[in-house]
């Protein structure tokens, strides 16, 4: 019996240039998922192997459009009313089954953006070249007139189109691009693709940290709103040991009345684990590398990469918080 393979993976690259002999696809801000529709049985699996089928009833409703014995690789995404990717609308899905899942599907329906073909009408396509898989995937959408919840991921071999994606599409939540060798097969668990993520450096204010005062591990970062309130906007990646040692003397214990007193901070998306943090005086400005992924409140959804401290700046030099909340 045919089973879904492990997903093929991508290696991060620093250069956005499209290599000769490669194709590019947009990198979506959603959940990677592999899908199989076989003998009226839907399998929807996350990259880590989690069974997602009970949480996305809108996909089961759309399987009537698919030919039997077909499998796809793609991304589960939700678009908000403004046409921007809304990753946070996926967050509550793993806690809702049955009627709860149906209600969420009606409020914020997910789409499966297909970017690779693994099987078609019973034929394993993983050994085909990308060029052949892509042509068959496009034919699948045309021949079967696939509509929502199915969407076809764009693909290009034109460098100008890649540049347009990286400069224009980031406004709607595009994370970057994925590169695939046009004559390459689909290799499960192999990092044979490449990915370039749109990143930028920004300043933020340190409001707290994990780890000990002598060796801070990660930084909890904030920005002031227009009404003078310090908003939490994200957490840094783990600090290098040398940076941790250099940073420790710059962090001052928090005074009474710290704006985050009594707050609980999550250890990450999709987990109920909380962080043990030490509050500090919100005076040190740091520079971090961030990508374009944001939640509905404007916070950074991915950990910010540590870059350097900016003791030459004051909190008033940091841009104001421009998220969904006010204050």
């Amino acid at each position: 019996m045919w089973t879904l393979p492990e997903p093929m993976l991508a290696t991060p690259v620093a250069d956005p240039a499209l290599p000769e002999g490669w194709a590019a696809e947009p990198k979506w801000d959603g959940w990677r998922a592999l899908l199989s529709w076989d003998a009226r049985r839907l399998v929807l699996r996350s990259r880590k192997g989690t069974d997602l089928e009970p949480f996305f009833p809108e996909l089961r409703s759309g399987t009537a459009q698919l030919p039997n014995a077909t499998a796809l690789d793609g991304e589960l995404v939700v678009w908000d009313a403004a046409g921007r990717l809304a990753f946070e609308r996926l967050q509550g899905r793993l806690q809702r089954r049955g009627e709860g899942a149906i209600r969420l599907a009606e409020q914020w329906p997910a789409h499966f953006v297909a970017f690779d073909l693994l099987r078609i009408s019973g034929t394993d396509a993983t050994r085909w070249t990308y060029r052949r898989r892509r042509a068959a995937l496009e034919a699948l959408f045309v021949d079967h007139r696939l509509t929502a919840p199915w969407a076809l991921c764009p693909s290009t071999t034109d460098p100008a189109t890649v540049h347009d994606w990286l400069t224009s599409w980031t406004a709607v939540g595009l994370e970057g691009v994925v590169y695939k060798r046009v004559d390459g097969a689909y290799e499960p668990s192999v990092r044979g693709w490449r990915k370039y993520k749109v990143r930028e450096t920004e300043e933020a204010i340190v409001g707290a940290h994990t780890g000990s005062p002598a060796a801070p591990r990660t930084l909890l970062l904030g920005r002031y709103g227009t009404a003078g309130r310090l908003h939490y906007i994200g957490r840094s990646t783990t600090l290098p040991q040398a940076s941790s040692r250099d940073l420790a003397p710059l962090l001052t214990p928090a005074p009474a009345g710290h704006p985050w007193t009594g707050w609980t901070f999550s250890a990450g998306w999709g987990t109920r684990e909380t962080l043990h943090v030490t509050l500090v005086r919100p005076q040190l400005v740091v520079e971090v590398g961030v990508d374009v992924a944001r939640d509905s409140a404007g916070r950074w959804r991915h950990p910010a990469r540590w870059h350097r401290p900016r003791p030459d700046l004051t909190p008033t030099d940091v841009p104001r918080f421009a998220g969904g909340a006010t204050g």
Side-chain angles (χ1 to χ4, degrees), residues 85-144:
L85 292 170
F87 181 88
E88 68 279 0
R89 298 298 179 186
L90 292 169
Q91 294 305 305
R93 286 302 190 96
L94 296 188
Q95 283 74 47
R96 301 288 184 90
R97 295 173 181 260
E99 291 298 322
I102 293 173
R103 286 195 296 270
L104 286 178
E106 292 172 346
Q107 292 176 321
W108 298 100
H111 290 73
F112 185 92
V113 182
F115 54 63
D116 221 313
L117 181 70
L118 307 179
R119 193 185 190 209
I120 181 68
S121 299
T123 300
D124 190 325
T126 57
R127 294 186 180 182
W128 295 357
T129 64
Y130 171 78
R131 183 186 291 108
R132 183 180 177 187
R133 298 197 312 275
R134 178 68 197 188
L137 181 62
E138 293 177 358
L140 171 67
F141 271 77
V142 172
D143 295 346
H144 293 268

Side-chain angles (χ1 to χ4, degrees), residues 28-65:
W28 305 96
D29 186 17
W31 281 347
R32 176 84 177 271
L34 279 73
L35 179 150
S36 172
W37 176 242
D38 196 353
R40 303 186 61 82
R41 178 173 179 259
L42 173 65
V43 176
L44 185 65
R45 194 183 74 194
S46 76
R47 173 178 166 176
K48 294 183 178 181
T50 302
D51 178 17
L52 300 176
E53 189 274 335
F55 311 107
F56 292 92
E58 63 269 51
L59 264 65
R60 171 163 286 282
S61 298
T63 52
Q65 302 179 48

Side-chain angles (χ1 to χ4, degrees), residues 267-281:
W269 293 106
T271 177
R272 296 182 180 180
E273 180 184 357
T274 58
L275 297 171
H276 175 72
V277 306
T278 299
L279 300 179
V280 298
R281 184 184 296 274

